[in-house]
Amino acid sequence: MLSALPSSAVVLDSGDRVLRASSAARAFGLVRGEELVIGELLTLARKVRRDGVIRETDIEVAVRKFGPDATSFAVRVAPLGGTGLVLVLAEDQTEHRRVEAVRRDFVANISHELKTPVGALSLLAETVQDASDDPEAVRRFTGRMQTEASRLTAVIQDLITLSRIQGAEPIAEPAPVDLGSIVEEAIDTVRMPADAKGIELVGSGAEGLTVLGDEAMLGTALRNLIANAVAYSPKNTRVAVSVGTSRSSVDISVADQGIGIPQQDLERIFERFYRVDAARSRATGGTGLGLAIVKHIMTHHRGEVTVWSKEGSGSTFTLRLPRPESRELDATRNDNHQETAQ
Ligand code: ADP
């Protein structure tokens, strides 16, 4: 029974000797030989034996075996019948704490990201009030208010997208998605900012290729990559979207001739709100969430996103999706036909 428990478990006899210990309890160094080596736990066990009251506590144990860090355990100590035996259950909280810390960081980041434009809006509103008899100043400041409001909308929109796809299961009923049309649509939505910078946008190789997935999500992922390619490229360069296949995958690449990404940042750019250059991202209207969204969408599709980049030369982001077998495509097509027929 002890080995089936998820926690480390120890049974002490009436003389404080270890009668049984799960292998986790030994691995974590809570038990050595026939001894429970954590004094705090021993004291607790004695109290429980004396008055029969179940007790809970949190303890930190320096586990040398697993490096210098302390492991934190949620502990529960209970009497076993009236025999003087005591059961000690210790649950490793390290992962739980780590997830909690990530969540806290994320909330702090969101608050900061929302506070900045709201603060700016409030200041601008005051300034407009003061400048009410100067129409030119009013026009200028209200224009900036619009920019801040758009930034706020973009962050909120990205947060909604992220929370919708985060932690969701892989798509249960993927539908056939025509790559030719999503590449064309994604390029179209970025055409205006690209034209403004004289950036040439070209797409190739997607015609006639189909993958299985969620069309709206794949469109979002591709749009985010192309928008970044345009935002982080100088004037009069080229952004190429190309699609290729291997035996097991369909690869969609977005290559730019832009500023590139320093090697040490490459691993982190997919984190929420991570930016290489915060000022630059802000100037281009970035939310810092685009690549986090792309990564989640790819996980959702049992695919992955990879990046190659060289500072000063450019970057290539690749979306790799599983290549569907033709019978899978036929099956989903038939299903869809039947649904429409009904
Ligand atoms: P943002 O909204 O800031 O663009 P993303 O999550 O889309 O946020 O990207 C994170 C960071 O990665 C960006 O701030 C930028 O520093 C870097 N980055 C993303 N795409 C590119 C690219 N094509 N070229 C250079 N840097 C990029």
Side-chain angles (χ1 to χ4, degrees), residues 186-187 189-190 201 217-233 239-242 251-256 261 269-270 289-295 297-298 304-308 315-320:
I187 287 182
T189 54
V190 189
L201 276 175
M217 278 196 196
L218 290 176
T220 301
L222 196 56
R223 238 184 354 260
N224 284 355
L225 292 185
I226 305 176
N228 277 349
V230 170
Y232 299 104
S233 289
V239 170
V241 184
S242 49
D251 303 332
I252 312 163
S253 296
V254 179
D256 64 50
I261 301 158
I269 51 172
F270 296 97
L289 292 171
L291 289 180
I293 291 175
V294 173
K295 188 173 173 184
I297 291 177
M298 293 320 284
E304 60 173 353
V305 50
T306 55
V307 55
W308 171 92
S315 313
T316 301
F317 285 83
T318 303
L319 303 176
R320 172 162 290 174

Side-chain angles (χ1 to χ4, degrees), residues 122-145:
S122 156
L123 275 178
L124 284 164
E126 264 177 47
T127 320
V128 170
Q129 222 163 25
D130 294 345
S132 52
D133 47 3
D134 178 352
E136 176 47 37
V138 168
R139 208 167 302 129
R140 201 168 63 243
F141 290 127
T142 47
R144 282 177 52 190
M145 288 176 83

